[in-house]
Amino acid sequence: MEDTQTLRVLAETEERELRDRVEREEQVLLEFEREFAEVRDERNALAEKRSVYDALARACEAIGQLEELDAARLFWNSDGDSTGVAVHIAHARRNLDEYESQVRSVQERRESVRDKIDTQNDLLDQLHYQLRDAVEVAESRRDEWLPEREPDALPYRAQVMPWARGFEEDQRFRRSLAAAAASCALLAWIFTAIDLPILERSAANR
């Protein structure tokens, strides 16, 4: 009984530990999902600005082509010098580079968090399978029959095999054999004691 109770306690302990771990890992998954939602919002906010920065990129490209054609004065006023134009162009390109850097950073974070979520889901699947097996084992342990008495309280009974000699079976056999022999001897004596009349041949032919 002690071994059965020990196995049952171990099974219940394993089940409880697995449940606690599943709960902790589910909280981790919720944190990853919240982080993914934040990254998604940042990505959407940057996507809304895409048309503005695309227009700025086209403008910088167009102005660069005007400078190559030595026609930038057509865009700037006649008093504008080339130094001022270069400063404006550099400032615009820095804004473009910063925007693209933010987009790449958000995209990388998004991929990283998504990988974490996939890994966490795989871990939770394994834990759920282990928990299911642990629950089945714990239930089977709880359903096992437990003796109500201690083993040493049971009366001692010798284990006698059918072919063993010198036990109660042999005594019963000898008594049965003696009774059968006495019955046969008694019947034989009774049959021999009965005097049957002999019929005359002439009487038998009538």
Side-chain angles (χ1 to χ4, degrees):
M1 181 174 66
E2 183 178 357
D3 292 340
T4 303
Q5 289 179 345
T6 302
L7 291 174
R8 183 175 64 182
V9 171
L10 290 175
E12 292 176 351
T13 302
E14 182 181 2
E15 177 187 354
R16 183 168 57 255
E17 291 176 352
L18 280 173
R19 288 187 183 277
D20 293 341
R21 186 180 178 188
V22 167
E23 185 176 354
R24 291 195 302 269
E25 297 300 338
E26 286 178 348
Q27 291 298 323
V28 173
L29 179 61
L30 288 177
E31 292 295 331
F32 288 156
E33 290 177 346
R34 281 193 287 268
E35 184 179 358
F36 187 82
E38 293 176 358
V39 174
R40 181 187 57 201
D41 293 340
E42 293 181 15
R43 184 169 178 266
N44 292 337
L46 290 174
E48 292 177 356
K49 300 177 182 179
R50 170 58 66 181
S51 59
V52 173
Y53 283 92
D54 286 344
L56 180 60
R58 290 194 297 270
C60 290
E61 182 180 0
I63 294 173
Q65 292 175 353
L66 288 175
E67 288 181 343
E68 291 176 357
L69 297 174
D70 195 20
R73 63 182 180 279
L74 297 177
F75 181 79
W76 303 101
N77 56 29
S78 57
D79 297 333
D81 56 353
S82 58
T83 303
V85 173
V87 170
H88 286 294
I89 296 297
H91 176 71
R93 293 191 182 280
R94 282 196 300 272
N95 288 333
L96 285 173
D97 292 340
E98 182 179 356
Y99 174 78
E100 293 297 336
S101 177
Q102 291 177 356
V103 171
R104 287 193 299 271
S105 176
V106 169
Q107 185 64 24
E108 290 174 358
R109 288 174 55 197
R110 179 175 180 273
E111 295 296 331
S112 176
V113 175
R114 186 170 61 182
D115 291 340
K116 292 179 181 178
I117 290 175
D118 293 339
T119 302
Q120 194 69 12
N121 281 323
D122 292 339
L123 176 60
L124 281 172
D125 288 341
Q126 296 177 3
L127 290 176
H128 281 298
Y129 287 133
Q130 295 177 9
L131 178 59
R132 182 193 61 185
D133 295 338
V135 169
E136 292 178 356
V137 171
E139 290 179 351
S140 64
R141 296 299 183 189
R142 285 192 290 268
D143 294 338
E144 286 182 354
W145 176 81
L146 295 177
E148 297 179 357
R149 295 180 297 179
E150 295 294 334
D152 54 1
L154 297 175
Y156 174 76
R157 181 180 179 86
Q159 300 296 323
V160 180
M161 305 307 292
W163 53 82
R165 293 290 179 261
F167 292 94
E168 184 180 356
E169 285 77 6
D170 288 344
Q171 298 175 3
R172 287 200 301 267
F173 174 73
R174 284 194 292 270
R175 287 196 297 268
S176 299
L177 182 60
S183 299
C184 292
L186 179 61
L187 289 176
W189 179 79
I190 292 174
F191 290 152
T192 56
I194 296 175
D195 189 12
L196 296 176
I198 299 176
L199 296 177
E200 295 289 342
R201 182 180 295 274
S202 59
N205 292 330
R206 291 178 182 178

